[in-house]
Amino acid sequence: MSRLRTVARRGRRTLIGAALALTVAAGTGGWAAGTAQSAVTGPAPGAAVWRADHSLGLRLPDPATARPAEVARFFAALTDGQRRALVARHPLTVGNLDGVPPAVRYAANSRALTAERDRQLARATDPAGTRQDHQQARKAAARCASLLSPGRHILAFDPRGRGQVAEVYGDLATAERTAVIVPGSDIDLGSFDRARDPYGTPAGMARSLRTRLTADAPGTRTAVIAWAGYTTPVGVGPDAMTGRLADAGAPRLARFLSGLAAVGAPAPAVLCHSYGSVVCGLAVARADRGDLADLILFGSPGVRRDNVAELRTSARVWAARDATDWIGDVPNVELFGLGHGADPTDPAFGAHRVSARRAEGHTGYLAPGTDSLRNFAAVVLGRYGAVR
């Protein structure tokens, strides 16, 4: 009899897993829409040369092991000339090293983007390349040129893989209130900012939130960071339905948040969209206590945790989902590594529910005029009584 019960349980689990796969496939066009990605991990290119550099007569902090607080202390002790020398010699390392002062990172990433733009322009006319190679290179060069536009503040840039980038809107050095946007699937250097579906991009979401913050609190200094610092899933396939890429991205996000704290930035509200909420769910337990003030999960398929207590964070946790978001059709289960678990908007999860009635679809939460944007801005500003 016990063996029969065991077989029955396994059968039910198999049926649930099959139902999950079928539901996702039916709702999104099938597994074929997604392609497997190789996660970018570890320090940016050039770390070995950085470690071997003794030109300042100092041992440089190891990008792979030094904590952001150590990096911050090291750079605080340097002269302006020493900082400029390191920027000139190691732009990719300095530009991606959490704990380096923001202004120094901006300068380093300007150099790194210029070098990558020039490299791609050369590739675009390389006789050994194909027509497709030339087209891809021209697009990459144009993206770098756009990020080099006056007034843009690039806090991180890594050309590896599909490319990663983080941009600051506002003055991070003087901000009293800050926010970090963590995007979901299909985001990389090429889709970080776009005219089509702008509020589905980290840059578009960050700009919209910053505009709302300025309108709601004109006397408060604010900064919003669009962080595309992990390898996101492409399409809706196994990558989007498992935690593999989130596992790789979570340490990067946790380190980034620790880096903000190390340079004296106020603890941010972290806004996590779609698959980005899976990354956040795994990252917050790694972050030091106080590295974030609020965690906002929206359009979330789950965070691989059953409730707020399992997140092990001191941050206030908020959740939003609009009725037209297709993510609501994805079963909230986790079985055999497939699926992301409990729905953060379920009262049993324990998050503060945030209204998103005026939002439309999966990417409309930060569109101007939505109640979700108004509520998210209120959270960032610490006006919790105004959240509905």
Side-chain angles (χ1 to χ4, degrees):
M1 183 65 69
S2 61
R3 182 178 179 183
L4 288 175
R5 284 196 295 267
T6 300
V7 171
R9 283 197 298 270
R10 287 176 179 172
R12 285 195 296 272
R13 291 172 67 188
T14 300
L15 286 172
I16 291 171
L20 173 62
L22 287 171
T23 300
V24 173
T28 63
W31 296 114
T35 57
Q37 301 296 300
S38 297
V40 170
T41 58
V49 177
W50 164 273
R51 294 186 192 100
D53 186 345
H54 303 292
S55 59
L56 298 184
L58 300 168
R59 183 177 180 180
L60 305 183
D62 189 337
T65 60
R67 293 177 59 82
E70 298 173 45
V71 174
R73 287 193 294 270
F74 176 84
F75 270 81
L78 297 179
T79 66
D80 288 342
Q82 288 173 320
R83 294 190 194 101
R84 286 194 296 269
L86 291 177
V87 165
R89 286 197 292 271
H90 309 282
L92 275 174
T93 296
V94 175
N96 291 283
L97 192 54
D98 296 311
V100 173
V104 178
R105 292 181 70 166
Y106 300 156
N109 286 312
S110 179
R111 280 181 171 268
L113 280 162
T114 299
E116 181 64 13
R117 179 202 61 191
D118 294 346
R119 188 181 75 84
Q120 293 292 349
L121 287 174
R123 181 170 164 254
T125 57
D126 184 354
T130 66
R131 181 178 180 181
Q132 183 179 17
D133 291 336
H134 294 167
Q135 290 175 338
Q136 290 175 343
R138 283 194 293 271
K139 287 181 180 179
R143 289 194 290 269
C144 291
S146 175
L147 293 172
L148 285 165
S149 300
R152 301 194 78 163
H153 303 295
I154 307 305
L155 193 61
F157 167 67
D158 189 336
R160 291 179 295 171
R162 289 154 43 211
Q164 298 180 2
V165 64
E167 182 173 12
V168 178
Y169 297 82
D171 187 347
L172 184 58
T174 63
E176 301 166 281
R177 293 282 178 174
T178 60
V180 176
I181 306 286
V182 180
S185 297
D186 298 305
I187 296 298
D188 51 32
L189 184 61
S191 56
F192 178 77
D193 193 5
R194 61 177 180 246
R196 179 183 60 82
D197 188 26
Y199 305 114
T201 71
M205 287 189 279
R207 279 196 298 266
S208 181
L209 178 58
R210 177 91 200 302
T211 298
R212 181 74 198 215
L213 292 172
T214 302
D216 289 352
T220 301
R221 297 187 298 275
T222 61
V224 180
I225 303 169
W227 183 82
Y230 76 104
T231 303
T232 68
V234 171
V236 181
D239 279 349
M241 292 306 298
T242 66
R244 182 177 65 87
L245 295 180
D247 284 331
R252 299 172 73 82
L253 176 59
R255 183 180 176 87
F256 179 77
L257 295 175
S258 294
L260 294 180
V263 297
V270 182
L271 287 76
C272 312
H273 179 234
S274 193
Y275 190 85
S277 66
V278 186
V279 179
C280 290
L282 299 176
V284 293
R286 292 173 170 269
D288 293 334
R289 186 177 182 85
D291 279 357
L292 66 161
D294 295 275
L295 181 68
I296 304 175
L297 311 169
F298 60 108
S300 172
V303 295
R304 302 202 148 234
R305 298 291 183 265
D306 289 334
N307 50 55
V308 167
E310 289 188 1
L311 290 171
R312 302 204 311 274
T313 178
S314 60
R316 300 172 188 84
V317 181
W318 312 78
R321 189 180 72 221
D322 77 74
T324 64
D325 187 343
W326 61 262
I327 205 75
D329 296 327
V330 175
N332 289 108
V333 298
E334 185 180 351
L335 185 66
F336 307 132
L338 192 66
H340 302 301
D343 175 5
T345 64
D346 188 323
F349 186 81
H352 302 285
R353 184 70 184 265
V354 178
S355 173
R357 288 190 303 271
R358 295 182 185 175
E360 295 184 5
H362 189 55
T363 58
Y365 291 88
L366 280 94
T370 58
D371 51 344
S372 45
L373 174 61
R374 176 183 58 77
N375 283 320
F376 294 172
V379 171
V380 175
L381 293 169
R383 297 175 177 178
Y384 303 123
V387 180
R388 298 291 181 265

